[in-house]
Amino acid sequence: MWALRAAVRPLLPRSRACRGLPTPRAAPPQPRHSRALAAFRPWGPGGPGSERWGPRTEAPKSPAGEDEGDPEGAEEEEEELLRRDPLLPSGTQRVCLVHPDVKWGAGKPQLTRAEWQVAEAAALVRSLDGWSVVLTLVVPTKTPERKLIFGRGNLERLTETIRGAADITCVFLNLERMAAPTKKELEAAWGIQVFDRFTIVLHIFRAHARTREARLQVALAELPLLRSGLKSDITQWDRQRGGSRYILGSGESARQVQQRELREKEAGIRKALERLRRKRQLLRQQRARRELPVVSVVGYTNCGKTTLIQALTGDQAMQPQDRLFATLDVTVHAGWLPSRLPVLYVDTVGFLSQLPHGLLESFTATLEDVAHSDLIVHVRDVSHPETELQKASVLSALQGLHLPSSLLDSMLEVHNKVDLVPGYSPSGPSAVAVSALLGHGLEELKAGLEAAILRATGRHMVTLRVGLQGAQLSWLHREATVQQVHVVPGAQAADVDVIISDSAHRRFRKLFPE
């Protein structure tokens, strides 16, 4: 059903393998960190703003100083790679949600119940424009891995119910993946299209991806779905052509042509993603040179990550949405800690239980930013009945990214949406309870963030005596975060309270020996 058009219409051209706090008083010079933050997109009236691809006025530079721009025609070739048939039917769809309830054996889900799984599946359907669930069926099964998922009796009753419901237009089988033969037989038995969790989530990703990088990552994740449909599509096409196996005497069968087209498409997507990955790496190097602390905000989808970052930064340009996978494009937002230390918050894609492995694998390049951050903040929706399962899903996904153990051990846990849980108090000492929407607990969170960032980056607060006539004070404003300046009467000197990294402190002592 989703076969590449190039294979069924061989005369078409083939895909090319391508490619808000106050600043210090006006007398001292502007701190280096403030100038570094100013290189990003302009801040809105409510506070610091955000950046997607880094500096506003310049393209990233290579280490040799040369532009790392796209090769000529690369963008056009990438757009060609992104042309594809729809995954799901358009228009209004009335969905029958079928949930296979595994009650025995190794396949039985842990830490969850069928009604919670059904609720999440229904939320996925509601994320699609014009789609609604009109019938929900929870059907027990012992062997979900078998070809037709259910036992004979349950399958017959299920088929009778679906065929008797004239108002439904398709079935969402709440299973991670269906094999192509399973899909074909169920559609023949039920008389309507059947979609699995992978296809639904992938379509949501398609709809929410905005940047080229996110769109390419979704296209990469689609390839297994295209490959799984090759055999049945080619068989049908051969039948229409009278059984001929080869195309225009080329010596290639239709299936071989499609397989080659998919390989070329995959090579092109991976090449384009590698170019974007190098750009992202250059941006990380720029941020590292400026010594700007980076906080990656992770969590289960719709836990409130974007709302929390907006509350911490005051960035009114951000638009949090109450829906699954509202954020696919990783964005970076600048803010200030109570000590006036600037910090960058990275908003990441949300996780999901039973998230198809291919989807997460495709977004590995984007999630590299998490591995290069100074601190991870894990946001949890503590009002959700499956909050513990969601936590386990996120931790499992993070461990799959092979992050440094020190980064995982220092992770700060934020319990969000406590306004929906009266009298809530976190059980662990390292967790902070907040309501990002109402602003509850944000000051405590900022204090915790500051302490964790100072530990992670090797910064500390010291008091340095500097001369008022020399360059020491201006150097500290450039290279560190000045807190207070106490002028010593009659001494032409000042005691400066400053937050400074170990490396900067050593440079200061070398430049200005006592």
Side-chain angles (χ1 to χ4, degrees):
M1 178 167 42
W2 296 286
L4 288 175
R5 294 178 180 177
V8 296
R9 288 183 285 179
L11 295 181
L12 291 178
R14 294 173 181 168
S15 300
R16 288 171 284 180
C18 70
R19 43 174 238 189
L21 288 173
T23 57
R25 286 178 294 185
Q30 186 184 20
R32 179 174 64 94
H33 292 311
S34 297
R35 296 202 308 274
L37 288 176
F40 291 91
R41 291 186 185 274
W43 296 351
S50 65
E51 56 93 5
R52 287 180 185 268
W53 286 110
R56 174 169 50 96
T57 56
E58 299 182 346
K61 303 290 184 180
S62 67
E66 298 176 0
D67 287 341
E68 284 284 327
D70 291 343
E72 186 176 353
E75 186 170 348
E76 291 78 6
E77 292 191 1
E78 289 172 13
E79 287 302 320
E80 182 176 330
L81 287 169
L82 292 169
R83 292 174 189 158
R84 52 207 189 237
D85 294 332
L87 285 172
L88 299 175
S90 59
T92 300
Q93 296 296 323
R94 297 179 298 278
V95 182
C96 174
L97 171 56
V98 178
H99 176 70
D101 186 16
V102 184
K103 293 185 174 294
W104 309 274
K108 178 177 171 58
Q110 305 297 318
L111 302 176
T112 187
R113 298 205 300 261
E115 57 265 35
W116 296 343
Q117 293 176 287
V118 168
E120 183 173 88
L124 288 172
V125 173
R126 289 194 299 271
S127 298
L128 302 171
D129 291 338
W131 286 53
S132 60
V133 177
V134 296
L135 179 63
T136 299
L137 301 172
V138 178
V139 184
T141 180
K142 289 191 272 188
T143 53
E145 70 283 354
R146 66 189 300 173
K147 184 176 181 180
L148 295 181
I149 314 299
F150 307 100
R152 179 180 299 177
N154 282 334
L155 182 60
E156 288 176 354
R157 286 188 289 273
L158 182 57
T159 300
E160 183 179 352
T161 301
I162 291 175
R163 282 194 169 273
D167 58 333
I168 65 173
T169 59
C170 64
V171 171
F172 172 24
L173 186 61
N174 193 27
L175 200 69
E176 182 176 334
R177 285 293 300 272
M178 278 187 300
T182 300
K183 176 180 173 64
K184 181 179 179 180
E185 292 210 22
L186 290 178
E187 288 182 339
W190 297 341
I192 52 178
Q193 288 181 293
V194 182
F195 304 106
D196 57 19
R197 194 178 178 91
F198 180 85
T199 309
I200 296 291
V201 172
L202 192 57
H203 187 86
I204 296 171
F205 272 39
R206 258 195 189 186
H208 295 178
R210 294 291 178 265
T211 62
R212 271 195 298 163
E213 184 175 30
R215 293 169 65 207
L216 285 165
Q217 289 174 124
V218 173
L220 183 63
E222 288 178 19
L223 293 177
L225 195 63
L226 293 171
R227 289 193 174 98
S228 69
L230 278 183
K231 186 173 181 180
S232 58
D233 287 336
I234 291 301
T235 300
Q236 182 181 4
W237 187 65
D238 282 346
R239 202 175 292 127
Q240 292 171 351
R241 293 178 56 88
S244 174
R245 294 184 58 209
Y246 300 101
I247 297 178
L248 300 179
S250 65
E252 286 185 298
S253 69
R255 187 177 186 185
Q256 288 171 334
V257 170
Q258 266 198 326
Q259 288 172 335
R260 177 167 51 76
E261 293 287 345
L262 285 175
R263 287 195 299 269
E264 290 175 355
K265 182 172 184 176
E266 181 176 2
I269 292 173
R270 291 191 183 278
K271 186 176 180 180
L273 284 172
E274 178 60 23
R275 284 197 300 269
L276 295 173
R277 190 192 67 80
R278 289 197 297 267
K279 284 186 177 182
R280 188 178 290 280
Q281 187 176 21
L282 287 171
L283 291 174
R284 284 197 299 264
Q285 290 172 355
Q286 290 175 354
R287 293 199 291 258
R289 285 196 297 269
R290 295 163 181 156
E291 294 187 345
L292 295 174
V294 177
V295 177
S296 287
V297 183
V298 304
Y300 205 82
T301 183
N302 208 31
C303 67
K305 300 185 302 297
T306 304
T307 304
L308 179 64
I309 294 175
Q310 183 183 53
L312 291 171
T313 63
D315 182 3
Q316 299 304 313
M318 300 180 72
Q319 296 180 341
Q321 301 177 54
D322 184 15
R323 65 179 187 179
L324 304 182
F325 300 115
T327 300
L328 281 189
D329 303 304
V330 171
T331 55
V332 180
H333 307 266
W336 301 93
L337 295 176
S339 63
R340 297 199 298 271
L341 179 68
V343 64
L344 299 178
Y345 296 97
V346 179
D347 195 3
T348 63
V349 61
F351 296 106
L352 183 75
S353 65
Q354 295 182 318
L355 183 67
H357 180 71
L359 278 176
L360 185 59
E361 198 172 55
S362 299
F363 278 77
T364 299
T366 298
L367 293 170
E368 282 182 357
D369 284 327
V370 178
H372 292 86
S373 58
D374 297 296
L375 179 69
I376 296 176
V377 171
H378 176 194
V379 183
R380 293 177 55 189
D381 175 4
V382 294
S383 70
H384 197 282
E386 290 194 294
T387 183
E388 290 300 328
L389 176 62
Q390 292 182 352
K391 175 181 177 178
S393 298
V394 172
L395 295 181
S396 175
L398 291 176
Q399 289 164 359
L401 297 175
H402 306 293
L403 302 177
S405 57
S406 57
L407 193 57
L408 290 174
D409 293 342
S410 64
M411 185 161 49
L412 184 63
E413 196 169 283
V414 176
H415 293 187
N416 192 24
K417 305 187 184 182
V418 296
D419 53 302
L420 303 178
V421 189
Y424 180 83
S425 178
S427 55
S430 60
V432 181
V434 306
S435 170
L437 187 63
L438 301 182
H440 298 165
L442 291 183
E443 295 307 315
E444 182 184 356
L445 174 58
K446 289 178 182 179
L449 283 169
E450 181 165 274
I453 282 292
L454 293 182
R455 287 194 302 270
T457 60
R459 286 175 168 84
H460 52 278
M461 183 178 289
V462 297
T463 300
L464 302 173
R465 176 158 293 192
V466 302
L468 295 179
Q469 302 299 322
Q472 294 162 296
L473 186 57
S474 60
W475 189 95
L476 287 174
H477 275 286
R478 286 197 312 272
E479 302 295 332
T481 303
V482 174
Q483 303 293 290
Q484 296 287 338
V485 178
H486 308 278
V487 176
V488 180
Q492 290 297 307
D495 290 330
V496 182
D497 297 332
V498 61
I499 294 178
I500 190 169
S501 67
D502 291 335
S503 59
H505 196 183
R506 288 192 296 269
R507 292 199 304 273
F508 178 82
R509 290 302 184 193
K510 185 176 181 179
L511 288 170
F512 308 106
E514 296 179 350

